[in-house]
Amino acid sequence: MLRAGEVYENPVTGERAVIRIGTDVTNGELLIVDLTVRPGGAVMGEHTHPAMEERFTMMAGKMGFRVAGKEETATAGVQIIAAPGTPHDWWNAGDKDVLVRVEMRPAARFEEMIRNGFGLAQDGKTDGKGKPGLLQLALFAQEFDDALQFTKPPRWVQKLLFGVLAPIARMAGLRGSYDEYLKRGPKEIVAVEPMELPEDIAKKLGLTVGA
């Protein structure tokens, strides 16, 4: 479970995530992080989340977004929402660090996926954009198909290609998810101001708002 104040970094994509509301208090229903992205940093590629909504609220800097084919540059105060199943991509569009608050609902599978993605990058097992090598990607994509789907190449090509490569990858000792990454702790823990659970999440968990 992710906890408030924990810090996780992806050295390849340039992401530094400070947990504000962790999955430990939301039972995986919600994750909120303050994400800093260095100049030149970007997510590993355009993708969709089949059953998860992702909200971005800009706090500082300039972030480029492409959502459902529409591209824009967002600055402080702008909110971008990628509904479940909506193709989206983002990148630092300026020459300074970007700070954006990211909300994921629900977040349990996203947490497992991002722990593996960051872990592979930290261990030098991705390309320059943070994507695993082809054999590893075949298993990663199959394991987290319910949480993350890349838009390129086309889905039918992915299914065919990964279906062929997955057995080879397993024979090579690779896996879709690694216990070592799921258990890997944060880079550091910092002090953060407490955040109140959103009303809808609190109600879903049977809690009183403000508890």
Side-chain angles (χ1 to χ4, degrees):
M1 293 287 189
L2 298 171
R3 295 172 173 80
E6 293 182 340
V7 179
Y8 295 87
E9 293 188 358
N10 186 319
V12 178
T13 61
E15 300 169 79
R16 181 179 189 269
V18 178
I19 310 301
R20 295 305 310 277
I21 293 182
T23 52
D24 63 323
V25 297
T26 68
N27 198 29
E29 292 291 338
L30 170 70
L31 175 65
I32 299 181
V33 306
D34 285 347
L35 183 69
T36 300
V37 185
R38 69 182 180 225
V43 73
M44 66 175 73
E46 187 180 70
H47 59 279
T48 68
H49 302 296
M52 187 188 79
E53 177 187 87
E54 192 168 15
R55 300 182 186 182
F56 304 86
T57 301
M58 289 297 300
M59 300 173 71
K62 295 193 298 183
M63 183 86 92
F65 287 93
R66 184 168 56 252
V67 180
K70 181 181 178 181
E71 192 167 310
E72 64 178 290
T73 300
T75 54
V78 173
Q79 185 176 80
I80 303 291
I81 299 177
T86 303
H88 58 285
D89 194 5
W90 56 257
W91 56 93
N92 186 328
D95 56 5
K96 298 180 180 179
D97 285 356
V98 164
L99 178 61
V100 56
R101 180 158 292 165
V102 186
E103 303 178 33
M104 280 110 353
R105 308 171 182 232
R109 285 291 285 164
F110 179 85
E111 176 186 342
E112 295 175 27
M113 181 272 296
I114 207 69
R115 281 183 178 276
N116 275 276
F118 275 36
L120 289 167
Q122 290 163 6
D123 289 352
K125 297 178 180 179
T126 71
D127 63 16
K129 294 185 177 180
K131 265 189 180 179
L134 194 55
L135 285 178
Q136 180 63 73
L137 182 61
L139 296 181
F140 181 85
Q142 287 186 345
E143 172 68 28
F144 296 108
D145 187 69
D146 61 327
L148 176 79
Q149 296 177 0
F150 294 107
T151 60
K152 297 178 181 179
R155 286 283 291 166
W156 70 268
V157 175
Q158 293 183 46
K159 286 183 175 294
L160 180 62
L161 179 61
F162 295 158
V164 171
L165 293 178
I168 301 173
R170 292 190 187 93
M171 289 178 62
L174 302 178
R175 300 190 298 278
S177 178
Y178 296 87
D179 287 343
E180 62 190 278
Y181 295 149
L182 298 180
K183 296 175 181 177
R184 181 173 289 180
K187 180 175 182 179
E188 60 179 313
I189 299 177
V190 298
V192 295
E193 290 291 330
M195 285 185 69
E196 189 173 276
L197 286 175
E199 185 175 356
D200 62 322
I201 297 297
K203 286 183 176 179
K204 194 168 187 178
L205 296 172
L207 302 174
T208 301
V209 177

